[in-house]
Amino acid sequence: MAVSLLLAAFGLFAFTLYYTVQWLARCRRRYHMKRQNGCLPPKKLPQLDPFFGTDVVMQNLGAAKKYGFLNLLRSRHAANGLTFTTNTYFRTTINTCDPTLIQNVLSFQFQDFGMGPLRRKSASPLLGRGIFTTDDDIWAHQRALIRPSFVRAQVTDFSIFGHHVDQLIALIGRRNYEVDLQQLFFRMVLDSNSEYMFGESVGLMSENASEAATTFHHALDYAQQGTILRLRLGNLMFAHRDKKFRDSCSTVHAYADKFVAQALEYRRSQAKLPLEKREKNEGVREKYVFLNELAKDTDDPILLRDQIVNMLLAARDTTAGLLAFVFFMLARKPEVFAKLRADVLEHYCEPLTYEAIMEMKYLRFVVQETLRLFPPIATNSRMANKDTVLPVGGGPDGKSPLFVAKHHVVTYSTFVMHRRKEFFGEDADEFRPERWEGLRPGWEFLPFNGGPRICPGQKFALTESSYTIARLLHAFSGIENLDPTDWREQLTLSLTLNNGVQCRLIPAEN
C-alpha cells in the first residue's frame, strides 16, 4: 500500500515537474520572440471579470438580443482604438478593424491562422466538415473541388435565374404589390440556387410548395440560428441543449442526402457507358448541375453532403441578404431609385444579358455601397495555430508589432471597418452610391473576405443579385416604404434584416 502511494506521489511530481518545465520553456521562448520583434502589448478592453469574461459575454448576448451587437462593436472600437483584446474563459481574443492587420492574418500569414477546433465544433452539427469549417489539406482539397463550378460560363448563364425572377414578379403581383421583399428573396434565391446545385428547385415560390420544401426551409433557418448561438457561447457550448436544433440539422442533411444519392447514381451510370458514348455526351451541352460535377471527383456521400449544405447556405444568405438591403435602402431613397432605374432602362435588353448588366455602372455603385454598409459577414475570426507576430496592433496606438500566442483568436469586423471615415469620408454612415465614382479601396473594403479563403462564389452572388435588381427595376417604376423604423440587425451566419423589407411596389406601364 505504501509503495503504491509512493509511486503515485512520484508520478504526480514527475507530471507536475514536466509541465512546469514545458511552461517555463514556452514563456522564455515567447519572451525572446516578443523582444526580438519589438512587440508591444495591445490595448485591453476594461473588464470586471478578466478571467472568464462573463461581463463581456453577457454584454454581447444582451446587445444581440436587442439587435445592437454591431453598434456595440463600433462603440468598443471608438473607445479603445483599432485593435484591443478581451479575455473570456482564459482565452485572449484580439479584436480589430485595422485592414493591415486583417490582410496579414488572411493573406501574408495565412499559414499561421485557421478556423480552429472551437469553430469546427460549433458549426459541425450543421456544416459537418465542409469548406467553411476545415483547414489545411482538407480545406485545400474541398476548395479545388468547388472552384471549377464557378467559372464564367456557369455564372453568367441566366436561364435558371430568369425563371425564378419571373416567379418572383408574378408572386408580387398576386399579393397586390404589398410584400416583405426579404422573405421573398430568401425563398427565390433558395429556389434558384437549389436548381443550380441539385438540378431541381426546392419550389418555395410555387403556390403549391411541398411540405418537404417548407420543412427544409424552416429547418435551415433554425439550424443556422442555433449554430451562431453556439459560436457566441464559445467554451460554454456544452450548455446548448436544444433538441429542435439537432432535429433541424438532421432534416437539412436528409433533404441534401436525397440529391447526393441521385448524383452518385448519375456518376455510376456514366461510368458504365462505353468510352465513346461518354466522350460523345461530353460534347453535348447539358443542363449544368453543381452536385453532379462534384460527384465526378469523389464518391464520398458525407463529403458531398457537407459541401452542398455549406455552399447552399452561404449562397442563399449572401445573395438574399444583399438584395434585401438594396431594396431596404431604395425604399427610403427615392432619388437613388429613380437614378438607378434610369441606368437600368438605358442598357436593358430582352433577354437581359451579362454584357448589358456590366454596362449598368450606377447599379454596380449601388451594390458596392450596400456591401460597404451591410457586409454579408459583418464579423469573422481566425485562430492562431502557432505563436506568431503581426506587424501592427501592438502598443497604445496599435502601430507596433503584436505577439499572438497559439490558440489566441483574431476577430475582425468588416462592419466597423467599412464605416471608418478616414477611408470612406465624413459621411461614411450615409448611403451614397456616388462615392464609388472615384473610389478604389484595398483591404479596407472586404465584403467577401480576402486571401486564399476569399469567397469562391462571390461572382455568382454579385451576378445573381445584379440580374435580379435590374429585372425588378424594369418591372416596377417605383417603391414605397411601409416601415417607418430604422433597420434592425439579424445576425446569423450572415447579416440580414430583423424587420424585413416592408414595401409597396408600383408596376411599370407596358
Side-chain angles (χ1 to χ4, degrees), residues 20 44 86 151 217 305 437 502:
T20 300
K44 292 183 178 181
T86 51
V151 298
H217 181 53
R305 184 191 72 196
E437 187 74 54
Q502 314 293 335

Side-chain angles (χ1 to χ4, degrees), residues 11 36-37 45-46 87 91 132 137 139 144 179 196-197 200 234 242 283-284 312 362 365 387 422 438 462 467 476 505:
Q36 288 169 3
N37 289 280
L45 181 76
N87 291 315
R91 186 188 68 193
F132 297 119
D137 292 343
W139 166 79
V179 293
Y196 176 77
M197 294 185 184
E200 179 182 318
D242 185 349
V284 178
L312 188 67
Y362 195 66
F365 293 168
D387 290 348
E422 60 268 45
L462 289 172
Y467 176 86
F476 300 102
L505 290 154

Side-chain angles (χ1 to χ4, degrees), residues 212-427:
T214 305
T215 301
F216 170 68
H217 181 53
H218 292 319
L220 198 59
D221 283 340
Y222 195 85
Q224 70 158 330
Q225 288 169 16
T227 299
I228 199 68
L229 176 58
R230 289 164 62 83
L231 286 166
R232 285 185 183 141
L233 287 170
N235 289 331
L236 291 181
M237 194 192 315
F238 64 86
H240 185 243
R241 294 283 186 269
D242 185 349
K243 184 178 183 298
K244 185 178 177 182
F245 167 73
R246 297 284 176 178
D247 289 344
S248 295
C249 292
S250 297
T251 298
V252 171
H253 291 168
Y255 194 87
D257 284 341
K258 176 178 69 172
F259 295 103
V260 168
Q262 290 175 8
L264 291 176
E265 179 57 37
Y266 173 82
R267 171 192 167 112
R268 285 189 287 270
S269 66
Q270 290 295 301
K272 290 176 183 177
L273 292 175
L275 182 60
E276 300 80 14
K277 186 75 179 284
R278 266 183 281 164
E279 289 175 347
K280 185 178 179 181
N281 287 349
E282 286 172 2
V284 178
R285 181 172 172 79
E286 295 181 343
K287 177 181 175 181
Y288 183 85
V289 179
F290 180 87
L291 187 52
N292 286 350
E293 295 303 309
L294 290 186
K296 289 179 180 178
D297 291 302
T298 179
D299 60 356
D300 182 339
I302 303 301
L303 174 60
L304 288 171
R305 184 191 72 196
D306 289 348
Q307 287 289 56
I308 209 71
V309 170
N310 276 245
M311 296 308 299
L312 188 67
L313 189 59
R316 183 196 72 156
D317 287 28
T318 300
T319 307
L322 171 56
L323 287 169
F325 277 112
V326 166
F327 282 88
F328 184 89
M329 297 311 298
L330 291 179
R332 287 156 176 76
K333 300 278 185 179
E335 71 284 1
V336 175
F337 184 94
K339 188 172 179 178
L340 177 58
R341 187 163 193 266
D343 181 48
V344 168
L345 294 182
E346 181 183 351
H347 302 287
Y348 199 87
C349 61
E350 291 280 7
L352 186 56
T353 64
Y354 178 79
E355 289 71 25
I357 287 175
M358 290 299 100
E359 290 294 320
M360 300 173 187
K361 185 171 71 170
Y362 195 66
L363 171 58
R364 186 165 66 253
F365 293 168
V366 168
V367 169
Q368 287 174 311
E369 183 71 343
T370 304
L371 288 169
R372 182 185 70 83
L373 285 174
F374 310 105
I377 308 301
T379 64
N380 211 332
S381 64
R382 295 290 184 270
M383 178 178 281
N385 52 42
K386 67 176 186 178
D387 290 348
T388 190
V389 173
L390 294 170
V392 294
D397 60 359
K399 295 181 179 179
S400 298
L402 172 65
F403 174 77
V404 184
K406 184 178 180 179
H407 294 149
H408 283 186
V409 173
V410 176
T411 294
Y412 55 98
S413 174
T414 53
F415 181 85
V416 177
M417 182 171 69
H418 286 184
R419 292 171 182 243
R420 286 177 58 186
K421 293 180 179 180
E422 60 268 45
F423 298 140
F424 299 102
E426 288 300 313
D427 63 347

Side-chain angles (χ1 to χ4, degrees), residues 116-164:
L118 194 63
R119 181 161 168 171
R120 276 194 291 277
K121 189 176 180 182
S122 301
S124 62
L126 175 61
L127 301 180
R129 293 176 65 80
I131 193 170
F132 297 119
T133 60
T134 52
D135 288 313
D136 303 324
D137 292 343
I138 297 175
W139 166 79
H141 174 65
Q142 293 176 346
R143 176 88 176 190
L145 285 178
I146 285 171
R147 190 191 299 275
S149 299
F150 291 108
V151 298
R152 188 180 186 277
Q154 273 75 253
V155 169
T156 59
D157 180 0
F158 293 159
S159 58
I160 291 176
F161 298 161
H163 168 64
H164 296 289

